[in-house]
Amino acid sequence: MQKHSTLGEFIIENQEHFKYSSGELSRLINSIRLAAKVVNHEVNKAGLVDILGNAGDINIQGEDQQKLDIYANNIFMQTLKNRQIVCGIASEEEDDFVTISGSDKANNSKYVVLIDPLDGSSNIDVNVSVGTIFSVYRRITESGTPVQLEDFLQKGNKQVAAGYIVYGTSTMLVYTTGHGVNGFTLNPAIGTFYLSHPKMTFPEDGTIYSINEGYYIHFPQGVKDYLKYCQLEEEDRPYKARYIGSLVSDFHRNMIKGGIYIYPTSSKAPTGKLRLLYECNPMAFLAEQAGGKASDGYMRIMDIKPTELHQRVPFFCGSKNMVAVAEKFMQNYPQDSEY
Ligand code: AHM
Ligand code: MG
């Protein structure tokens, strides 16, 4: 009989990848697994309880916060804080990073976590999949001292682990520690994640493009040209347009079927919408680990030096050859050209 690892077993079995590991990263992933189950339980009954709608707060980016955003943020923050396995957390829902203090042990931990607790939350009201995105770095300041901004403003190529949870038709946790990408599906009856998608890879080519084309008129010329290319009648084109408006779900589908996700700059949002630290870097790490590619149209996402926590960047991510073609179209124009 074929053995189906649970996520817990898989984490232990793969600890040997990290020669000098103290098990800290394993415990960290385990905490995320636990928080994911709690959030999943709440997201799944979203239609049943009076938990929908805006909480009335506006987050730092000036967007309405949904109640479940706050709930998910609290669960992930508390789970990580209580176990004292990270020395700092930055969340898309918090204005500033949080320093974990209170015991020497906490301050001696070497990892910081960046998290988007509930991405695509405008989809909750209409029962469309949402996701959690996380990213882990080793701190660069001295262990035992409070974390600093520079611990969070590291290039994506320094990530130690990254992943997402998609609360979909079934709930999955997909993650990488730099040794490929593996996907685990939750059996809700017993609350256990099973390895259902070992060694996930992006097809090198694909036939799906995912972008909010409603903003076409505001896009840079390179994006407009690429979209026309996607729609041309050629061998494998026109491509299929598929856009859920929930990054995790769009990425997940494109990784399985082959496709490209684009959130470009526009005359309305000159730096794009997605956040480099909470969304683009972790997805870029996963994409590359799965044989895909992630770019801002001009350079590799994971080579961008972050300058602020809530920085936004344009994002082209997915099947390697598709992203390479999109980059060519972008690079026909200077990066700062007029719309
Ligand atoms: P959020 O972090 O506020 O949820 O925004 C991110 C989401 C992505 O999941 C999604 O791809 C995108 O915003 C959709 O934006 P738009 O409605 O502008 O197409
Ligand atoms: Mg988000």
Side-chain angles (χ1 to χ4, degrees):
M1 197 174 90
Q2 204 200 339
K3 182 176 163 252
H4 291 280
S5 299
T6 66
L7 176 53
E9 287 165 350
F10 184 89
I11 290 170
I12 294 166
E13 281 160 21
N14 286 277
Q15 204 167 302
E16 71 203 27
H17 275 145
F18 308 98
K19 265 194 186 148
Y20 307 107
S21 158
S22 56
E24 215 174 311
L25 183 61
S26 302
R27 288 202 295 281
L28 176 49
I29 304 282
N30 260 322
S31 303
I32 290 174
R33 170 184 70 151
L34 175 63
K37 286 189 218 175
V38 178
V39 170
N40 174 65
H41 182 70
E42 209 59 31
V43 167
N44 269 317
K45 59 179 196 191
L48 292 173
V49 289
D50 181 28
I51 201 166
L52 292 178
N54 297 339
D57 292 345
I58 305 281
N59 70 8
I60 185 146
Q61 278 101 19
E63 296 148 331
D64 282 348
Q65 265 187 340
Q66 306 270 310
K67 276 185 186 173
L68 269 174
D69 288 13
I70 302 169
Y71 179 84
N73 189 43
N74 289 343
I75 295 293
F76 278 100
M77 298 289 274
Q78 285 310 326
T79 311
L80 292 168
K81 272 188 201 170
N82 291 347
R83 278 167 188 71
Q84 306 208 332
I85 40 168
V86 292
C87 50
I89 310 171
S91 162
E92 192 188 290
E93 299 297 345
E94 307 269 345
D95 297 357
D96 209 347
F97 65 85
V98 174
T99 307
I100 314 288
S101 55
S103 85
D104 292 345
K105 189 178 158 222
N107 273 340
N108 280 333
S109 59
K110 51 181 181 283
Y111 295 113
V112 295
V113 169
L114 292 95
I115 191 151
D116 182 352
L118 212 57
D119 183 70
S121 51
S122 61
N123 284 313
I124 295 168
D125 287 354
V126 289
N127 209 348
V128 168
S129 303
V130 289
T132 296
I133 308 170
F134 64 90
S135 171
V136 181
Y137 294 81
R138 207 166 276 120
R139 69 179 301 176
I140 50 177
T141 55
E142 202 186 322
S143 153
T145 62
V147 278
Q148 304 295 326
L149 184 58
E150 61 197 280
D151 292 315
F152 297 93
L153 297 186
Q154 299 188 54
K155 288 184 184 174
N157 60 31
K158 298 285 183 208
Q159 285 172 104
V160 175
Y164 60 78
I165 297 112
V166 55
Y167 309 98
T169 37
S170 57
T171 291
M172 281 190 71
L173 191 153
V174 175
Y175 82 106
T176 182
T177 52
H179 301 273
V181 176
N182 291 286
F184 301 82
T185 302
L186 181 67
N187 178 344
I190 52 174
T192 303
F193 281 104
Y194 285 94
L195 178 60
S196 52
H197 294 62
K199 299 190 179 65
M200 296 180 83
T201 51
F202 264 97
E204 286 195 359
D205 288 291
T207 55
I208 294 173
Y209 71 105
S210 312
I211 183 169
N212 189 338
E213 219 168 334
Y215 303 150
Y216 182 87
I217 196 76
H218 299 298
F219 288 154
Q221 194 56 44
V223 175
K224 288 179 177 163
D225 292 352
Y226 178 66
L227 291 177
K228 287 298 152 219
Y229 165 89
C230 292
Q231 293 160 3
L232 269 184
E233 185 75 43
E234 285 290 337
E235 256 172 81
D236 57 347
R237 284 173 282 149
Y239 294 154
K240 285 195 266 293
R242 293 284 184 275
Y243 188 70
I244 298 169
S246 200
L247 170 64
V248 172
S249 314
D250 279 311
F251 178 99
H252 188 75
R253 181 207 49 241
N254 288 352
M255 178 157 62
I256 289 170
K257 295 198 163 176
I260 183 171
Y261 173 95
I262 305 175
Y263 208 109
T265 61
S266 70
S267 51
K268 288 273 160 71
T271 53
K273 177 182 186 191
L274 300 183
R275 292 76 170 173
L276 174 60
L277 297 181
Y278 309 111
E279 291 156 338
C280 302
N281 269 337
M283 292 319 225
F285 189 24
L286 287 159
E288 289 193 9
Q289 282 296 316
K293 188 171 162 72
S295 161
D296 70 353
Y298 294 84
M299 72 179 284
R300 183 183 178 219
I301 286 290
M302 291 204 289
D303 286 340
I304 298 173
K305 174 75 188 107
T307 52
E308 49 182 306
L309 275 182
H310 294 278
Q311 182 173 348
R312 298 173 194 260
V313 289
F315 194 47
F316 298 71
C317 181
S319 292
K320 195 165 71 179
N321 295 342
M322 294 182 90
V323 176
V325 170
E327 271 185 326
K328 277 207 184 122
F329 278 93
M330 293 307 291
Q331 290 167 14
N332 285 333
Y333 304 90
Q335 197 161 7
D336 51 4
S337 56
E338 294 287 312
Y339 292 92

